[in-house]
Amino acid sequence: MPNTIAYNSPLSRDMPFPYGVLAAGQSRFTPQDPAVTARFKEHTVILTLDGVGEVTVGDQVNRPGPLTLSWVNTSAEYRHACAPDSDAWTYLWFSFAGHALGQLYDKLARRGQLHAAVGPDTIDTFKAVLRGVSSSHPGRHSQLSALVAQVIARFENSPSQRASQSTLHHLAIAISENLAEPWDTQTMAAQAGLSLSRFHAVFREAFDLPPATWLREQRINAAKRMLTETALPVTRIGELCGYPDPHHFSREFAKNALLPPSRFRAQMRSRVAR
């Protein structure tokens, strides 16, 4: 496919959907082509199909290869081009607008998550975006918003490139698999090899929650699954989820689910029986 570009109709200021696509296309660069540096005051995501690119944001240089997503804020200083040692660089792209994109971009940048390895299904997502922009179907704006959200999720779910936050994700997996252990923030910080104050700051940036709140949510969500999917006694479920005191478990569960564990289980069973 040669270089293509399709523009969407102008987005209204009171757009009812979280995201809107401004333009989409496919591009091919060679090392002889000039780098793109123009400021467009919008956000653009790039999916490399073939070859290797060179994407520079500030002083960070990345070389995305096939099936790599890259997010560029074109209102700030950036540069992207074909890598000098690549024969060519081919990629799909779309530019988009939406609510609080600046804050989300900044958060991902701090986490080192502006590039993400993805599967071949992401190519289909980008092609669907291009078809949607080229379409006049009345429902295309809602469909495009959903497709953009899918791509953003790829970035948010990608491993952090920062060592401390990568360590936190491994810690989170270990905690989720061993909820019965007496975890507290001091133990968690020690496992992550961080001071308590540093651990609180890095954890909140990684998960958008204080560690104690995140831990409580993991425990209660695990309890909900067990109450729904197993016949284990409520007291045993509490123990497995880190609440050896049944009264404490009942109080904490009710704060989250607005029902005590036994009533939650009965309600879920009645839904399944319908």
Side-chain angles (χ1 to χ4, degrees):
M1 179 187 285
N3 289 350
T4 59
I5 182 169
Y7 294 96
N8 204 357
S9 56
L11 302 174
S12 64
R13 291 179 179 270
D14 56 347
M15 181 177 65
F17 309 111
Y19 307 109
V21 178
L22 306 171
Q26 176 167 320
S27 298
R28 182 179 186 275
F29 279 78
T30 68
Q32 291 72 44
D33 293 317
V36 176
T37 59
R39 302 285 183 90
F40 294 107
K41 296 183 179 180
E42 60 196 37
H43 292 263
T44 299
V45 288
I46 296 168
L47 173 62
T48 297
L49 297 177
D50 190 49
V52 179
E54 194 171 82
V55 178
T56 304
V57 177
D59 58 357
Q60 297 293 315
V61 181
N62 281 273
R63 290 168 52 89
L67 293 178
T68 301
L69 278 176
S70 302
W71 185 337
V72 177
N73 178 3
T74 65
S75 66
E77 183 179 352
Y78 76 98
R79 177 185 184 276
H80 68 73
C82 179
D85 55 349
S86 182
D87 292 336
W89 179 39
T90 304
Y91 60 88
L92 293 165
W93 61 273
F94 64 82
S95 297
F96 62 110
H99 305 300
L101 278 182
Q103 293 93 314
L104 178 57
Y105 176 89
D106 290 343
K107 181 178 74 173
L108 293 174
R110 290 193 301 271
R111 294 178 177 178
Q113 291 176 292
L114 292 179
H115 301 269
V118 295
D121 60 309
T122 307
I123 297 176
D124 296 331
T125 302
F126 270 70
K127 288 183 177 179
V129 170
L130 183 54
R131 288 195 301 271
V133 171
S134 304
S135 168
S136 58
H137 190 277
R140 70 185 184 281
H141 292 301
S142 60
Q143 293 170 351
L144 287 169
S145 182
L147 291 169
V148 172
Q150 289 180 28
V151 173
I152 289 175
R154 303 287 202 280
F155 288 100
E156 293 198 285
N157 292 329
S158 69
S160 171
Q161 295 177 15
R162 298 199 172 181
S164 60
Q165 293 193 350
S166 178
T167 300
L168 288 187
H169 284 280
H170 288 297
L171 173 64
I173 292 171
I175 293 171
S176 299
E177 293 176 347
N178 299 277
L179 289 171
E181 296 296 319
W183 296 101
D184 56 31
T185 52
Q186 288 187 330
T187 305
M188 294 162 71
Q191 289 272 2
L194 298 170
S195 68
L196 190 57
S197 59
R198 178 63 180 157
F199 174 72
H200 274 277
V202 174
F203 193 99
R204 185 154 195 162
E205 185 170 287
F207 295 99
D208 294 325
L209 288 171
T213 303
W214 178 88
L215 176 60
R216 183 165 57 250
E217 287 194 357
Q218 298 306 303
R219 285 176 160 158
I220 297 302
N221 287 338
K224 288 178 179 178
R225 290 192 295 271
M226 291 184 193
L227 287 165
T228 303
E229 299 169 4
T230 77
L232 289 171
V234 171
T235 53
R236 180 56 180 156
I237 289 174
E239 292 170 356
L240 292 172
C241 295
Y243 295 103
D245 180 346
H247 298 293
H248 183 208
F249 173 51
S250 184
R251 285 195 304 272
E252 289 298 310
F253 190 93
K255 285 180 185 177
N256 178 286
L258 304 179
L259 290 171
S262 56
R263 286 184 59 192
F264 176 87
R265 168 176 271 174
Q267 186 179 85
M268 294 307 296
R269 285 180 175 174
S270 67
R271 288 182 180 179
V272 172
R274 290 174 185 173

